[in-house]
Amino acid sequence: MLKYTTILLAPLLLGGIVGCQDNHELHQNPPQYITDQIDPYMPLAIEFVYNNEKHALENGTPLLPQYMEIAQRVGIKHPEKVRLLYVDKLPMPKNDSLKFQMERLGLDSPYLAGMTYGYGIYIKHSAKGDKLLLSHELIHVRQAEELGLEASPVSTFCN
């Protein structure tokens, strides 16, 4: 469970701590104090991730042909499953405790433009058409395909 905790929530929490820069090594090996703080939130976070994927799959739109091409180039096995959901605000948890932790770490920042949950990609209306953002989010879809939803990093992307 600690492995999934580290891989799933560390990018979310560390993203809020260190901002939008390349922190691959930190995400792969977060300090123990971070994983100790994350572990109690794991069941809530898993539910949040699955609910957001489900919502995007039910309410989102399939990739446009030009986006299918990007999805294929980044190596997604099933690009036909991807759904884009354009929103005014990226989703935040309803659970006050988990929401507080995400807010505390800046994950409610107006500068975040997209988040990916499995095959569900949330993109702010203000970033609609941003191919760099979409390419970034599609890489996280590929990671979810390769690792499984619980083991793949949840993505945030700054504009």
Side-chain angles (χ1 to χ4, degrees), residues 6-151:
T6 301
I7 294 172
L8 178 66
L9 287 180
L12 271 176
L13 298 177
L14 291 171
I17 293 171
V18 295
C20 294
Q21 49 188 292
D22 184 5
N23 295 298
H24 179 75
E25 179 60 32
L26 186 60
H27 291 177
Q28 295 303 310
N29 300 297
Q32 186 64 43
Y33 77 92
I34 295 286
T35 58
D36 289 345
Q37 291 176 31
I38 294 171
D39 210 31
Y41 294 97
M42 191 60 186
L44 297 170
I46 289 172
E47 180 180 6
F48 177 68
V49 167
Y50 278 105
N51 287 343
N52 282 308
E53 181 188 40
K54 181 180 180 204
H55 181 75
L57 294 178
E58 291 172 353
N59 298 287
T61 58
L63 294 174
L64 296 171
Q66 65 266 32
Y67 298 156
M68 287 287 276
E69 184 179 316
I70 296 170
Q72 291 166 343
R73 273 192 271 145
V74 300
I76 294 176
K77 294 176 188 151
H78 299 286
E80 73 281 357
K81 293 182 179 182
V82 176
R83 294 293 180 268
L84 297 176
L85 185 59
Y86 296 100
V87 294
D88 292 323
K89 281 181 67 173
L90 297 174
M92 289 294 288
K94 288 180 174 56
N95 177 280
D96 288 336
S97 182
L98 185 59
K99 182 179 179 185
F100 172 77
Q101 293 304 321
M102 290 178 70
E103 288 171 344
R104 180 177 75 91
L105 296 168
L107 294 171
D108 59 340
S109 170
Y111 299 107
L112 295 179
M115 288 187 141
T116 295
Y117 302 94
Y119 285 107
I121 300 175
Y122 289 74
I123 294 179
K124 285 185 177 179
H125 288 291
S126 61
K128 189 173 186 176
D130 183 336
K131 288 183 180 180
L132 178 61
L133 168 63
L134 183 61
S135 298
H136 174 87
E137 299 303 332
L138 288 168
I139 289 169
H140 292 291
V141 172
R142 186 193 73 216
Q143 291 172 329
E145 281 185 331
E146 292 172 354
L147 302 172
L149 187 56
E150 287 184 31

